Amino acid sequence: MLTAVANVHAQPPVSTLPCELEIVVNDIVATHCPTHMLAIYANNNASQKRKVTLFPTHQLVLAAHCNHLPPFPASHPDATNPTVQVPVVPLCLPSPETFSILQSYLYTKRVDALLAMLLPAPPSTLSDTNVPLPDMIKRLTHHLAASGNMPLLARHAMIINGVWRNACALGVYDDKLWNSIEVAWEAVVGAMSMGCA
């Protein structure tokens, strides 16, 4: 399903957000055609022009993981046509720029892929499930601190925070997600503290 979402081609709106968007249906999209198009934006100053980012999605995936979703309009796209109209769902999130990381995790449930996006350079030992969590965080902290790249660590701290804020806003309940966010946050902040010492 994530492959179908990644292969959606839609014409983004120029000025106003329509109620529906047309997407092109190719062979990959036809296998699991998205049901909706999320129009994600941040809650900024009303005097500024609002930036909207479009994310094709399947309502079922979001509904299975998110408790704080707005109502989605009915959608039954016929993927046998060369193009389909899917409803647009406006969604205000605290960190639109990190939504793709959360969406990818919700589709795949791959903790390794999530940590690879949250951390600047996760070590290969991270996949060792026999290591107790405190020891894993300690190893990861030392590994990240050795890079000495404070701007990179700060950028990843912002990414982790953005994914966390989006997951809170959407009401995502997934222990592996929250554990991964905790591991990444403690390691990155710990590495930054070691770099400042």
Side-chain angles (χ1 to χ4, degrees):
M1 290 174 89
L2 185 60
T3 303
V5 165
N7 282 278
V8 166
H9 302 289
Q11 186 65 24
V14 177
S15 57
T16 59
L17 196 60
C19 292
E20 291 186 327
L21 271 177
E22 183 176 84
I23 62 172
V24 176
V25 178
N26 58 31
D27 291 341
I28 298 170
V29 174
T31 58
H32 296 287
C33 190
T35 59
H36 295 81
M37 184 70 70
L38 296 178
I40 296 186
Y41 62 94
N43 191 9
N44 351 1
N45 188 343
S47 64
Q48 297 176 335
K49 186 173 179 179
R50 183 173 283 161
K51 180 183 176 194
V52 175
T53 308
L54 299 175
F55 291 92
T57 195
H58 296 89
Q59 179 186 11
L60 180 64
V61 172
L62 293 180
H65 299 97
C66 305
N67 287 329
H68 303 152
L69 286 175
F72 276 45
S75 175
H76 307 286
D78 181 2
T80 60
N81 296 323
T83 62
V84 295
Q85 296 283 338
V86 294
V88 174
V89 179
L91 186 60
C92 180
L93 287 179
S95 179
E97 59 278 4
T98 63
F99 177 74
S100 62
I101 296 171
L102 180 58
Q103 183 184 36
S104 179
Y105 173 77
L106 294 178
Y107 271 82
T108 66
K109 297 300 201 126
R110 288 190 50 202
V111 170
D112 60 329
L114 175 63
L115 287 171
M117 290 186 271
L118 295 179
L119 297 169
S124 58
T125 58
L126 197 57
S127 60
D128 186 357
T129 56
N130 296 325
V131 177
L133 188 59
D135 292 342
M136 181 186 298
I137 292 171
K138 186 176 179 181
R139 285 184 193 177
L140 188 53
T141 301
H142 287 285
H143 173 77
L144 295 175
S147 75
N149 190 338
M150 292 298 277
L152 182 63
L153 290 172
R155 187 165 48 250
H156 278 272
M158 296 295 291
I159 290 169
I160 297 163
N161 180 265
V163 171
W164 173 78
R165 290 186 300 143
N166 286 342
C168 289
L170 290 171
V172 177
Y173 291 99
D174 183 293
D175 287 341
K176 289 181 181 179
L177 171 71
W178 293 111
N179 290 340
S180 299
I181 290 172
E182 180 182 358
V183 166
W185 180 257
E186 288 190 27
V188 168
V189 171
M192 291 173 70
S193 297
M194 289 175 70
C196 292

